[in-house]
Amino acid sequence: MARYSRTEGTIALITLSNPPVNALGAAVRRTITDIMHRALTDGEVKAVVLCGENGTFCAGADIREFGKPPSGPALVPLIHDMEASEKPVVAAIEGVALGGGLEIALGCHYRIAHAKARLGFPEVMLGLIPGAGGSQRLPRLIGIPAALELITTGRLVSAQEALKLGIVDQVVDGNTIETAVKFALNVIGRPLLSRRLSERTPAFSVDAAAVLEEGMARVKQRARGAFAPVVCVQALRAAATLPYSRGMETEEQLINTLIDSSQARALQYCFFAQRNARKWSLPSGARWNNSKPRAVHRVGVVGLGTMGRGITVSLVKAGISVVAVEMEEKQMDLGMRAVLGMLERDAQRRGDTRPPTHLLTFTLSLQQLGNVDLVIEAVFEDMALKKCLFTELCNVCKPSTLLCTNTSGLDVDALAVVTHRRSLVVGMHFFAPANVMKLLEVVCGPHSSAEAVATAMTLGKRLGKVGVVVGNCPGFVGNRMMKLYLDQAYFLLEEGAAPEQVDQVLEEFGFTMGIFKVSDLSGLDVGWRVRKASGLIGPDVNPKTPSRWRQGCRYSPLPDLLCEQGHLGQKSGRGWYLYETPGGKEPKPDPAMHRFLQEYRSRYGLTPRHVHAHEVIERCTYAMANEGFRILEEGIAARAEDIDVIYVFGYGWPRHRGGPMFHAAQVGLATVLQRLEHYHQLHPDVPHLQPSPLLQRLVEAGSPPVHHWREHVQHLHSYL
Ligand code: 3H9
C-alpha cells in the first residue's frame, strides 16, 4: 500500500505501492496517513520525499470505490497536514500524477518530475471535479486561465509543459527519486510559507472574471448536457473569489452534487468498459492474454478512397510502412495528394518539419504487396469485387500475410472462404474519418484464428484505436443497430416530424450530431448503395410490392427518393438540409424538404401529427438497445459494455449517458420493455420494436445490473 524507509539519515522516503497505478484506495489512504504522521513527528526526519513504486507516482482515487459507501480516511486532511508541516515534503513524480495523485503532489512543497511523466486532472472525464483541493490549489499555482483549461478538459500535460506552467519545479532525465532526495537535503530549513499553495491568493483581475465567464459559455456549448465541466468552472470561480477555506467548502459541496449522479456513474462505467473491451475471448478458449500477435512492420492498403486514405494516414503516423495500391491512375493521383496533404497538415500542427512520407509507397500494382505482413482492403462495398481481390491477394502475398477487410457490414466469412488462409482473414472496420475516429471493430468469424484477432487488436492499439472484437453478421454491431435507429428517424418524418426537429432533440440528448446531419455528412448514396445491394430497391423488387413495404415489414423510401433526385447531402448541396453550395458544411432547414414531406405524406394518406421530443428519444434509443439485446443473444457482441464502447467511440453517443445499453439500464429495463411494447402495438408492421427475448428475460429476472446480463444469454448461436 505504501512503504516507509529512511535515506541519507534525515530523509523519510514514502513509496506508494498499490499496483498497477498506485490508486488511492481506502487502505492506501490509511497507510499513507499513518506513515506520513510518523515521518512528520519523528524528530530525526528533516524532510520527506513522496514517490510511487514501479515508475508510477499515482493515478488518483481508486475509481472502483466510487458509488460504494465511504471508508478509510479522507484525502483532504492528509494533504492539509502534509502542506502545513514545517518539514519540506518533495514529490518525486514518475509515470503519472493524475487526479488525487496530482492533488497530493500539489500539497507537497516541491515537485520534481521525470521527463516522461504526465500530469493532469482527468476527473471531468469521470463526471467529477478535482475534489481534494485540486480545484483550489491549481489556480493558485498557475493562474485561472491555465487551470480552467486543464480542469474543464481533463487534458494531461507533459513534464516539460508542467515546468513551463509552473506545476513542477524541476524536470529530470535520470533518477527522479535520487534527484528528489538531493533536492530535499538542500531545502531543509528553508521557509515554507510561500510554498504552501493554500496560503496563496490567486490574482483575480477583471480579466479572470471575463475568462471565467467565457469559459462557462464555452463549456456549456461543448458539454452536450454534461454537468461536470460546468461544475468545474463553478469550483474555479470559488477559487478566484473566496478565501481558501471557503473555497474548499464550496469544492466539497460541488463534488457532492456530482459524486452519486447518473452521469458520473455512466462516465465511470465507460472508463472500465473501454478497458474491458481489450479483454476479448473466443469460443476456442483463446483470449487476449494467451494469444500472441504477429509482428507487423509493413502493411498494404488496397483502395485509396476516403477510408483507404484515412487508414493509410493512421498507419504512417504510427510509424508503420505502407504500400498503398489503387487500380486507376487518376484515383491514385487524387488519393496520393489527399494522403500527403493530411500528413503535411498533421506535421504542421505538431510543429514537425517533415511528415514521415518515407514510410509510403504508392503503386498501381498488387504485385508490390508480396512482402507485407498484413493487408487492409478498403475498396467499394461490392462483394464480387472484394472476392476477386481476396483471391488475387492470396496469389500475391506471402502465405503468412493477414488479409483484413474494412467492409462496413458485408460477410467476412464469405471473403475468408475464397482464400486458402481462412484463419488469417478478419474484418478491421474503421470509421470515417479513419485517421480521427477512435473506434475499430475487429470482426471475427468461425474461421478466424486467435493469432489473427490478436494481431488486428494489437495493430489497432498501435494506431491509438479502441478495438472491440465482434462477430460476423450484416452490419456487425454498430451498423446493424444504426439501421434501426435510422429507420425510426425516417418513420418519425413520415409521421409528422421535420429533420431539424429530430436532430435538435437528439443533440439535446447529447449526440455529437443529429442523425440527419450525420447522414448528409456521410452522403445519402452510401446507404442507397447498400439497400440496392441487399435487394431492398432495384430491379429485383417485385413491381407489385407497395413502396412502403419490404421483406415483410414497414419500409420508408424517403432516402431513396432524395437520392433519385440527386440530393445526396453535403456533397450535392442538398440532402435532409440545404447547404449554400455543394460541399458546404452549414446545414439550414430546407423549405423544399418540408414541402416534399407534405406531398409524400398526402400521397400515402399519412396524417401528420405532432411528434414529442420524448418519443423521438424513446423510439430511436430503445430500438437500438432492443437490437443490442438480440446482438448479445446471438453472441455477435460478448458484453453489453462492448456495444456501448462501439456507440461512444464510433457513433457520437454521449459518453455521459454511458451507451445505449447502459442508458436502457439507467432508464430501467422494465420501462424500456413497456415502452417498446407500447410502440410495437402502435406499429405492428415494425417487428424490430417487438421486445427481444433477452430483454424480457432480464426484466423477469428483476433487471440485474449490466455486468450480469451475460449470465442470462442463452448462447444459441454463439461466436464470442
Ligand atoms: C480522483 O482522483 C478524484 C480526486 O479528485 C479525489 C476526490 C475526493 N482507479 O488505463 P490502463 C486500472 S478521480 C482504479 O489500462 P494505461 C485500469 O482499470 C481519478 N483503477 O493503463 C486498468 O485495470 P485492468 C482520477 C485504475 O497505462 C489498469 O489500472 N484519475 C485507475 O493505458 C491499467 O490502466 C484518473 O482518472 C484508478 N484511478 O493508462 C486516471 N486508473 O488492468 C485514470 C487505472 O484491470 N487512469 N486503473 O484493466 C488513467 O487515465 C490510465 O489508467 C493511466 C494508465 C494513464 C493511469
Side-chain angles (χ1 to χ4, degrees):
M1 296 291 118
R3 281 196 317 273
Y4 178 88
S5 58
R6 283 274 289 281
T7 179
E8 305 289 333
T10 54
I11 308 290
L13 186 65
I14 299 180
T15 309
L16 301 183
S17 167
N18 185 23
V21 292
N22 296 329
L24 299 164
V28 179
R29 296 197 306 276
R30 192 170 299 115
T31 320
I32 326 176
T33 305
D34 291 348
I35 58 182
M36 185 61 80
H37 177 74
R38 178 173 159 197
L40 297 182
T41 49
D42 183 337
E44 284 178 22
V45 170
K46 302 294 176 215
V48 180
V49 169
L50 186 62
C51 63
E53 201 174 58
N54 291 334
T56 297
F57 184 72
C58 173
D62 188 334
I63 303 167
R64 283 166 305 203
E65 285 186 355
F66 293 141
K68 294 189 182 148
S71 67
L75 214 47
V76 172
L78 162 71
I79 297 174
H80 180 263
D81 290 351
M82 211 169 68
E83 191 195 51
S85 141
E86 290 304 330
K87 298 177 186 178
V89 184
V90 181
I93 300 170
E94 294 174 316
V96 290
L98 303 180
L102 181 54
E103 289 175 309
I104 291 191
L106 293 182
C108 297
H109 305 106
Y110 300 95
R111 287 159 291 280
I112 312 286
H114 188 267
K116 290 203 173 131
R118 288 176 303 150
L119 300 89
F121 281 132
E123 281 90 337
V124 70
M125 303 296 292
L126 300 170
L128 302 173
I129 58 170
S135 74
Q136 305 304 299
R137 284 196 177 86
L138 188 67
R140 286 175 160 78
L141 181 62
I142 64 172
I144 297 288
L148 181 77
E149 194 265 323
L150 293 188
I151 291 178
T152 56
T153 61
R155 184 171 74 84
L156 309 192
V157 293
S158 65
Q160 286 73 13
E161 189 179 349
L163 184 66
K164 268 194 215 146
L165 286 169
I167 300 177
V168 299
D169 302 290
Q170 193 180 327
V171 174
V172 292
D173 264 325
N175 188 318
T176 319
I177 297 166
E178 273 174 27
T179 311
V181 169
K182 276 190 201 137
F183 189 98
L185 284 167
N186 261 336
V187 293
I188 289 171
R190 286 205 201 155
L192 290 176
L193 188 65
S194 66
R195 307 298 310 178
R196 293 190 187 109
L197 300 180
S198 65
E199 304 275 353
R200 295 191 190 175
T201 314
F204 188 64
S205 61
V206 180
D207 259 10
V211 166
L212 282 165
E213 207 165 306
E214 267 170 40
M216 184 60 100
R218 198 172 46 246
V219 299
K220 278 190 176 160
Q221 195 205 355
R222 286 195 198 147
R224 299 196 274 137
F227 305 140
V230 174
V231 180
C232 286
V233 183
Q234 291 168 345
L236 280 155
R237 186 174 290 143
T241 52
L242 299 174
Y244 174 76
S245 58
R246 296 227 1 247
M248 285 299 286
E249 282 165 23
T250 307
E251 185 192 81
E252 190 183 351
Q253 284 158 9
L254 290 173
I255 196 166
N256 285 340
T257 64
L258 296 173
I259 200 108
D260 289 323
S261 67
S262 58
Q263 292 198 359
R265 294 246 190 291
L267 286 158
Q268 289 154 25
Y269 163 85
C270 281
F271 176 85
F272 290 113
Q274 181 183 348
R275 281 153 184 85
N276 287 341
R278 296 190 300 232
K279 298 172 186 166
W280 55 270
S281 60
L282 300 182
S284 62
R287 295 165 54 82
W288 61 285
N289 53 0
N290 64 11
S291 308
K292 205 165 174 276
R294 288 208 181 159
V296 174
H297 303 292
R298 217 166 140 79
V299 173
V301 175
V302 185
L304 274 180
T306 315
M307 291 309 294
R309 294 171 194 178
I311 295 169
T312 302
V313 169
S314 265
L315 289 161
V316 170
K317 276 174 62 184
I320 299 168
S321 289
V322 178
V323 181
V325 188
E326 238 319 322
M327 305 299 163
E328 278 179 31
E329 205 156 340
K330 194 169 159 221
Q331 266 302 106
M332 160 68 72
D333 199 45
L334 283 173
M336 184 162 70
R337 273 195 252 169
V339 167
L340 294 176
M342 283 191 261
L343 287 171
E344 188 75 48
R345 284 191 294 279
D346 181 70
Q348 273 169 11
R349 255 197 311 275
R350 286 183 297 131
D352 288 353
T353 42
R354 283 189 54 217
T357 47
H358 61 283
L359 295 171
L360 270 166
T361 307
F362 293 97
T363 173
L364 289 167
S365 164
L366 277 182
Q367 300 302 322
Q368 297 235 12
L369 296 180
N371 206 18
V372 298
D373 305 304
L374 182 148
V375 174
I376 302 175
E377 163 278 305
V379 301
F380 279 127
E381 287 292 79
D382 175 335
M383 195 49 155
L385 173 67
K386 286 184 195 274
K387 280 185 174 171
C388 278
L389 179 63
F390 268 64
T391 312
E392 187 64 23
L393 285 171
C394 268
N395 298 329
V396 169
C397 300
K398 57 186 181 186
S400 58
T401 303
L402 255 74
L403 302 182
C404 307
T405 170
N406 176 52
T407 177
S408 59
L410 296 179
D411 187 347
V412 175
D413 294 339
L415 284 176
V417 295
V418 303
T419 70
H420 313 300
R421 49 180 97 178
R422 296 173 181 194
S423 64
L424 294 185
V425 176
V426 285
M428 284 187 80
H429 179 206
F430 290 83
F431 289 73
N435 51 320
V436 176
M437 293 299 284
K438 285 273 188 202
L439 179 64
L440 174 70
E441 278 182 327
V442 171
V443 188
C444 75
H447 307 296
S448 311
S449 66
E451 191 183 30
V453 175
T455 307
M457 287 293 278
T458 306
L459 178 60
K461 194 169 177 208
R462 274 174 80 187
L463 304 186
K465 305 291 176 202
V466 178
V468 183
V469 175
V470 299
N472 182 34
C473 70
F476 316 131
V477 171
N479 284 346
R480 172 168 161 181
M481 285 167 65
M482 181 74 174
K483 182 185 173 302
L484 302 180
Y485 172 25
L486 267 169
D487 280 351
Q488 288 305 317
Y490 300 148
F491 297 158
L492 289 165
L493 296 192
E494 292 185 337
E495 290 163 36
E500 58 276 14
Q501 180 206 346
V502 173
D503 277 359
Q504 190 188 339
V505 173
L506 293 169
E507 286 166 18
E508 280 166 9
F509 178 79
F511 275 98
T512 323
M513 240 190 220
I515 186 82
F516 291 109
K517 285 185 191 156
V518 172
S519 171
D520 273 0
L521 177 70
S522 1
L524 272 68
D525 50 330
V526 178
W528 200 30
R529 225 177 289 130
V530 174
R531 291 191 294 280
K532 278 182 191 163
S534 56
L536 284 167
I537 43 176
D540 294 342
V541 179
N542 181 337
K544 290 194 184 135
T545 313
S547 309
R548 296 180 52 245
W549 189 257
R550 287 291 181 280
Q551 299 173 350
C553 41
R554 177 174 169 184
Y555 176 79
S556 173
L558 277 169
D560 304 330
L561 296 171
L562 291 193
C563 289
E564 282 163 21
Q565 293 170 28
H567 298 176
L568 304 181
Q570 286 190 1
K571 63 175 106 171
S572 66
R574 191 160 235 163
W576 301 105
Y577 291 87
L578 181 64
Y579 300 84
E580 220 150 77
T581 52
K585 302 266 181 262
E586 218 30 71
K588 291 206 179 66
D590 184 358
M593 166 57 64
H594 299 160
R595 282 196 300 278
F596 163 76
L597 285 172
Q598 267 168 18
E599 283 161 20
Y600 174 91
R601 291 179 197 123
S602 42
R603 189 180 336 141
Y604 291 107
L606 302 166
T607 313
R609 62 184 173 85
H610 176 70
V611 176
H612 285 282
H614 72 87
E615 183 176 349
V616 173
I617 294 301
E618 286 184 348
R619 281 179 58 185
C620 291
T621 66
Y622 297 174
M624 267 193 261
N626 199 29
E627 193 63 8
F629 287 115
R630 293 199 174 92
I631 283 172
L632 283 175
E633 191 90 293
E634 290 169 27
I636 296 297
R639 292 168 288 230
E641 284 168 300
D642 290 355
I643 299 177
D644 286 334
V645 168
I646 287 172
Y647 263 80
V648 166
F649 288 96
Y651 292 84
W653 180 281
R655 202 179 161 102
H656 60 268
R657 291 190 189 267
M661 308 314 285
F662 185 81
H663 177 64
Q666 268 194 333
V667 169
L669 296 186
T671 307
V672 174
L673 174 68
Q674 185 249 317
R675 297 306 289 161
L676 280 167
E677 278 166 350
H678 164 76
Y679 289 121
H680 186 234
Q681 234 165 34
L682 292 177
H683 306 282
D685 50 358
V686 186
H688 281 106
L689 288 174
Q690 182 169 20
S692 71
L694 177 58
L695 171 60
Q696 296 179 17
R697 282 205 308 282
L698 287 170
V699 172
E700 278 159 25
S703 301
V706 179
H707 55 277
H708 284 297
W709 291 359
R710 203 185 157 102
E711 295 152 28
H712 298 263
V713 172
Q714 285 178 351
H715 283 296
L716 290 175
H717 341 259
S718 175
Y719 272 120
L720 300 177

